[in-house]
């Protein structure tokens, strides 16, 4: 009936949104988080960015992003598996059960969100002042 169609559309929207989110997080990790962390460690293959308080602070702020990506990737995989079972006519756990299973892990967003304002301010300052120069240059890419 109508309720089943609406429920199906909602499930597809949740799955689609989560896929987009995981893709964007993955880009963030690969384009910024890992290169910045590797630069602060002095890795030869990393971008040449001088160690600075700003770099250290950005790394601290971004530290939880990889964990968030890991959790959301697993969440997405569970949503996809659930949909596949449903499409094949098999028993599925339902999205609510999956969300409840992951709820404790989603608490890590508290730390990330708590650091957001500081991160935005720091990035704005680096952008405005252009300092540290090599970090500013990297962030403009």
């Amino acid at each position: 009936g109508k309720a089943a169609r609406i429920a199906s559309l909602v499930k597809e929207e949740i799955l689609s949104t989560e896929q987009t989110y995981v893709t964007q997080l993955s880009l963030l990790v690969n384009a910024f988080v890992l290169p910045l962390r590797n630069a602060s460690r002095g890795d030869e293959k990393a971008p040449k960015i001088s160690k600075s308080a700003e770099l250290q602070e950005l790394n601290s702020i971004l530290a939880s992003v990889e964990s968030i990506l890991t959790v959301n990737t697993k969440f997405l995989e569970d949503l996809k598996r659930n949909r596949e079972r449903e499409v094949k006519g098999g028993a599925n756990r339902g999205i609510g059960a999956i969300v409840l299973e992951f709820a404790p892990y989603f608490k890590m967003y508290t730390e990330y969100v708590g650091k957001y304002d500081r991160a935005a301010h720091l990035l704005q300052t680096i952008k405005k002042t252009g300092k540290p120069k090599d970090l500013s240059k990297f962030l403009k890419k």
Side-chain angles (χ1 to χ4, degrees):
K2 185 176 179 180
R5 281 194 312 272
I6 291 171
S8 180
L9 289 171
V10 169
K11 290 176 197 174
E12 287 303 314
E13 181 61 32
I14 291 169
L15 186 62
S16 172
T17 300
E18 190 64 23
Q19 179 65 64
T20 300
Y21 182 61
V22 166
T23 299
Q24 295 297 323
L25 273 177
S26 185
L27 285 170
L28 176 65
V29 166
N30 291 313
F32 291 100
V33 176
L34 293 177
L36 288 173
R37 186 178 64 217
N38 292 339
S40 70
R41 292 179 177 168
D43 186 323
E44 292 175 11
K45 297 175 186 171
K48 300 298 175 223
I49 301 172
S50 305
K51 292 183 182 184
S52 63
E54 291 85 356
L55 177 59
Q56 188 175 350
E57 188 169 1
L58 274 179
N59 278 318
S60 171
I61 290 167
L62 295 171
S64 60
V65 175
E66 284 179 280
S67 298
I68 290 171
L69 174 59
T70 300
V71 167
N72 282 82
T73 299
K74 175 81 172 89
F75 180 61
L76 176 62
E77 290 167 0
D78 280 15
L79 290 174
K80 285 180 177 179
R81 251 192 312 279
N82 197 60
R83 183 184 64 184
E84 288 168 13
R85 279 191 221 110
E86 191 174 15
V87 167
K88 292 177 182 175
N92 64 48
R93 295 182 340 181
I95 289 180
I98 297 169
V99 170
L100 285 174
E101 178 187 333
F102 280 85
Y105 300 103
F106 292 144
K107 289 180 182 173
M108 71 177 63
Y109 278 95
T110 305
E111 178 186 348
Y112 178 72
V113 170
K115 293 179 177 180
Y116 178 82
D117 287 340
R118 177 64 192 137
H121 177 73
L122 179 61
L123 290 171
Q124 193 173 37
T125 301
I126 293 169
K127 186 178 179 181
K128 194 186 316 182
T129 65
K131 293 177 184 173
K133 193 173 189 174
D134 46 5
L135 181 55
S136 175
K137 186 178 175 185
F138 173 78
L139 293 172
K140 285 181 183 176
K141 287 185 182 181

